[in-house]
Amino acid sequence: MSLHSSVGSAEHSSFMTSYLDALSLVERLHRLLLDVIKDEFERVGILEINAVQALLLFNIGDNEVTAGELKTRGYYQGSNVSYNLKKLVEAGYMHHQRCEIDRRSVRVRLTPRGREIREIVERLFLRHAEGLEASGAIDRDGFDRITHSLRRVERFWTDQIRYIY
């Protein structure tokens, strides 16, 4: 084996290690985010909604969307979107209405009760943003760099799904 190929192999191995560390961190951060939201709802005494549902309400905000749009707009990544929408409608957090044009499609939007949940999550995120900034843990520039890098990974993965098969 030549010196060049062993150096290349070491660089590849190092990149792979970094990639796997980043993947693991993204997964842990998502789970931790859900735990943080769950803890906040337990703290304020709201137990009938789970963290995934609360995050879904936060992401929908003032929009009116179909279940399909939730994924295409990036509001929801899970496979059980219909289940969560049904539960949110049953619990009074969302309105649903059949589309006039396509009767198979249902449009959803937040009820006043759903907007209250969204505001709780928004206040939680605002407290965290202020705390991160005040503590100096990360600044705006740091978040901009992270977001830019994550968007590039997202674009790469999206292209893999679209074009690999």
Side-chain angles (χ1 to χ4, degrees):
M1 181 183 281
S2 72
L3 177 61
H4 177 71
S5 62
S6 66
V7 169
S9 178
E11 287 172 9
H12 173 74
S13 178
S14 174
F15 186 85
M16 182 65 170
T17 299
S18 294
Y19 177 64
L20 294 175
D21 285 348
L23 291 179
S24 180
L25 184 57
V26 166
E27 183 180 6
R28 284 195 320 268
L29 284 172
H30 176 69
R31 289 174 194 237
L32 192 55
L33 171 64
L34 295 177
D35 285 344
V36 165
I37 293 169
K38 177 181 167 281
D39 286 353
E40 179 68 7
F41 279 85
E42 287 175 356
R43 190 184 68 73
V44 297
I46 299 174
L47 305 176
E48 70 274 3
I49 188 168
N50 67 40
V52 169
Q53 293 165 343
L55 194 54
L56 180 58
L57 292 172
F58 175 79
N59 287 330
I60 290 172
D62 293 329
N63 298 307
E64 183 175 293
V65 295
T66 65
E69 289 172 329
L70 291 174
K71 284 185 115 177
T72 59
R73 293 184 185 193
Y75 297 153
Y76 188 85
Q77 298 302 319
S79 60
N80 54 359
V81 65
S82 296
Y83 169 83
N84 280 313
L85 288 177
K86 180 181 177 203
K87 289 296 183 185
L88 289 167
V89 168
E90 288 172 355
Y93 294 106
M94 298 185 89
H95 290 295
H96 75 291
Q97 177 179 345
R98 293 246 174 245
C99 291
E100 299 283 329
I101 299 165
D102 180 357
R103 301 300 292 165
R104 297 168 298 170
S105 184
V106 175
R107 298 192 71 71
V108 295
R109 71 181 187 285
L110 303 188
T111 63
R113 191 170 180 209
R115 283 193 293 280
E116 289 174 16
I117 296 298
R118 186 194 188 286
E119 289 169 10
I120 291 169
V121 176
E122 185 174 37
R123 285 192 303 269
L124 172 68
F125 289 169
L126 180 60
R127 273 197 329 267
H128 289 174
E130 289 171 347
L132 283 165
E133 186 176 38
S135 72
I138 189 166
D139 62 9
R140 167 77 187 262
D141 205 40
F143 270 122
D144 288 345
R145 285 192 309 275
I146 290 168
T147 303
H148 177 75
S149 295
L150 289 173
R151 282 205 163 91
R152 291 174 69 184
V153 172
E154 178 185 39
R155 229 178 356 261
F156 177 81
W157 286 348
T158 300
D159 289 348
Q160 296 304 300
I161 293 167
R162 286 189 186 138
Y163 304 116
I164 203 156
Y165 299 106

